[in-house]
Amino acid sequence: MIKYRQHIRTLIVWFASLAAALPGLAQSDSIEIGLITCSPHEEVYSLYGHSALRYHNLRTGEDIVFNYGIFNFKKPHFVMRFVFGLTDYELGIAPTRPFCDYYRKWGSQVTEQVLNLTADEKQRIAQALAENLRPENKVYRYNYFYDNCSTRPRDIIERCVGGRIEYAGRPDYTPTYRELIHDHTQGHPWARFGNDMLLGVKADMKTDMRQQEFLPEHLMADFDRAAIVSDGGERRPLVLQRRTLVEPGVQVVEKEFPLSPVQCAVVLLVVSVAILAAEWRRRRTFPLWDALLMLLQGLSGIIILVMFFSQHPTTSTNLLITLLNPLPLFFIPAVVRRRRSRWWTVLTVGIILFFIGGIWQDYAEGMEILALCLLLRIVSHRYNDK
């Protein structure tokens, strides 16, 4: 490990000083620059794939991957900073072979699109990467949808080509951000549930082609159909060659909680119906069951409310707050003591607003069932507390 870290430091020093030697290297045209796309694997942080840039000097043998997806779990208050959209990622570099070996271990396919660049364009990209690698530049404020490991390589390439990149487009394909990430969480219902809980109404807006490129597989597909158009109008394909660096392997799917969010919600509904039947026979409500549901609402609502103050643009204006919010916590004492309370009126209004909000926002799976459970509590108190 120590030897590997020393090698990385050597690479950083070498590439940071590359600008002075670049003209001679670029003119030899021995350099390849490619977009690397890694397919998803089963770890939660990699469900959406990964992008990077490869710098390969065929003459000298230097072969480096530039990775904008480096983060440190051990930084102070990492989870809190992530929740509030204050996560800092940074540009890191690694030799290509160990980078590929890592994804081979997980069974991910690694694809390279060698870019059809002139010597000057390669030089500008290498200089831009060297500049980004400086300590004062390599850290950036990460945003999953708008500024991530996929959009950063794209933006550098677009800035450094002579002319402009013209994309072919995808007509009649305008999924929402929520639908796009659903495509990658089909086998992970609880990851999907967590995403849907935190994403607000802005995540249900239609996306265009460029917005969809936050996902590496979409960027790769768009590059395949893109062309560089020079200022004089000459066109050339953006991708010169596509090659597979790592073949797809076997991925081990770890077992998750045996029940899905919907199944858990159904269990909750069955229990709610059983309690309602018992209350109906006794003509008396069970306040401890109310307190449990209100505690569930309130604690979940604190998380939803906190996300309103996050810098993640798509977590604000989360209409789920009509159902899950901290208000129940203030009414629990009165409900447990069977005192008169405005809680049931507040809850009725919240449920109505929740179902109206469903016109604009796609809620997490099982939320409608939870609303039905709460509606049963309103019915029980309407007819049993007399």
Side-chain angles (χ1 to χ4, degrees):
M1 177 61 72
I2 295 177
K3 183 177 180 181
Y4 180 75
R5 289 177 178 174
Q6 291 174 340
H7 185 41
I8 292 295
R9 285 196 291 268
T10 301
L11 285 175
I12 292 175
V13 172
W14 171 81
F15 206 85
S17 63
L18 184 64
L22 268 172
L25 293 176
Q27 288 171 5
S28 69
D29 205 25
S30 62
I31 295 172
E32 288 184 346
I33 292 181
L35 177 70
I36 299 289
T37 303
C38 308
S39 66
H41 60 72
E42 291 302 315
E43 288 296 301
V44 173
Y45 62 83
S46 189
L47 291 178
Y48 311 100
H50 187 56
S51 294
L53 284 173
R54 182 187 186 187
Y55 174 95
H56 188 193
N57 191 321
L58 302 175
R59 182 173 63 86
T60 64
E62 296 291 345
D63 195 1
I64 311 169
V65 170
F66 289 78
N67 179 4
Y68 282 93
I70 303 298
F71 60 92
N72 185 0
F73 275 124
K74 296 181 180 180
K75 281 190 175 182
H77 313 297
F78 177 86
V79 174
M80 184 65 68
R81 291 178 62 84
F82 182 84
V83 167
F84 282 99
L86 302 175
T87 312
D88 289 329
Y89 276 43
E90 64 181 65
L91 171 63
I93 62 176
T96 299
R97 178 169 292 180
F99 178 88
C100 290
D101 287 343
Y102 171 82
Y103 284 94
R104 182 179 289 107
K105 179 186 70 173
W106 288 102
S108 295
Q109 179 173 335
V110 180
T111 304
E112 179 186 16
Q113 292 165 294
V114 180
L115 302 179
N116 187 18
L117 305 174
T118 65
D120 287 341
E121 290 167 341
K122 296 173 187 176
Q123 177 181 336
R124 287 195 291 270
I125 290 176
Q127 286 176 325
L129 291 171
E131 185 66 22
N132 275 193
L133 202 56
R134 293 181 180 276
E136 65 271 23
N137 298 331
K138 67 179 183 177
V139 177
Y140 70 100
R141 182 55 49 82
Y142 175 85
N143 185 288
Y144 176 62
F145 289 131
Y146 305 124
D147 193 357
N148 68 2
C149 68
S150 181
T151 63
R152 286 253 159 175
R154 176 201 65 190
D155 293 346
I156 280 187
I157 294 167
E158 289 181 344
R159 288 197 304 268
C160 293
V161 298
R164 71 182 191 279
I165 296 179
E166 187 176 281
Y167 296 95
R170 291 190 294 268
D172 301 324
Y173 183 66
T174 56
T176 66
Y177 282 115
R178 196 185 304 271
E179 289 169 343
L180 286 168
I181 64 174
H182 278 184
D183 291 340
H184 292 263
T185 54
Q186 292 180 1
H188 298 268
W190 285 102
R192 172 183 291 195
F193 178 79
N195 288 334
D196 285 340
M197 284 280 291
L198 300 180
L199 292 175
V201 69
K202 293 181 181 178
D204 292 297
M205 296 179 179
K206 298 295 185 181
T207 60
D208 59 25
M209 185 196 72
R210 187 168 185 82
Q211 291 170 325
Q212 295 162 22
E213 289 173 352
F214 79 94
L215 288 172
E217 64 181 35
H218 285 269
L219 181 63
M220 179 174 65
D222 290 344
F223 267 35
D224 275 338
R225 300 189 300 270
I228 300 174
V229 182
S230 68
D231 295 333
E234 297 178 353
R235 300 172 60 88
R236 54 191 155 100
L238 174 59
V239 175
L240 181 66
Q241 179 186 3
R242 180 167 172 169
R243 57 173 72 128
T244 300
L245 302 182
V246 176
E247 295 288 345
V250 177
Q251 297 197 11
V252 178
V253 180
E254 296 183 1
K255 292 183 178 180
E256 297 188 351
F257 188 70
L259 297 180
S260 70
V262 173
Q263 290 170 331
C264 288
V266 170
V267 170
L268 183 64
L269 178 60
V270 170
V271 174
S272 296
V273 171
I275 289 177
L276 177 63
E279 290 175 332
W280 206 276
R281 288 194 300 270
R282 298 186 182 187
R283 291 295 178 183
R284 185 177 178 85
T285 57
F286 298 160
L288 292 182
W289 178 244
D290 290 317
L292 179 61
L293 291 179
M294 294 169 73
L295 184 64
L296 175 65
Q297 270 186 279
L299 295 180
S300 302
I302 290 174
I303 298 174
I304 302 299
L305 180 62
V306 164
M307 295 306 293
F308 270 71
F309 302 96
S310 172
Q311 290 190 15
H312 291 294
T314 49
T315 61
S316 61
T317 322
N318 188 344
L319 301 182
L320 191 56
I321 201 167
T322 56
L323 188 70
L324 302 180
N325 56 71
L327 285 179
L329 300 177
F330 298 98
F331 290 96
I332 288 177
V335 171
V336 170
R337 293 182 174 91
R338 300 180 183 275
R339 294 176 180 173
R340 285 188 172 274
S341 171
R342 295 183 182 274
W343 167 240
W344 305 111
T345 301
V346 172
L347 181 58
T348 301
V349 173
I351 291 175
I352 292 172
L353 293 176
F354 167 78
F355 282 108
I356 294 174
I359 298 173
W360 298 282
Q361 181 172 326
D362 187 8
Y363 297 125
E365 293 180 337
M367 286 298 102
E368 290 83 359
I369 299 176
L370 175 60
L372 180 57
C373 293
L374 297 174
L375 186 60
L376 293 179
R377 301 312 305 152
I378 296 172
V379 172
S380 181
H381 280 269
R382 173 69 176 82
Y383 289 100
N384 293 321
D385 284 351
K386 293 183 178 181

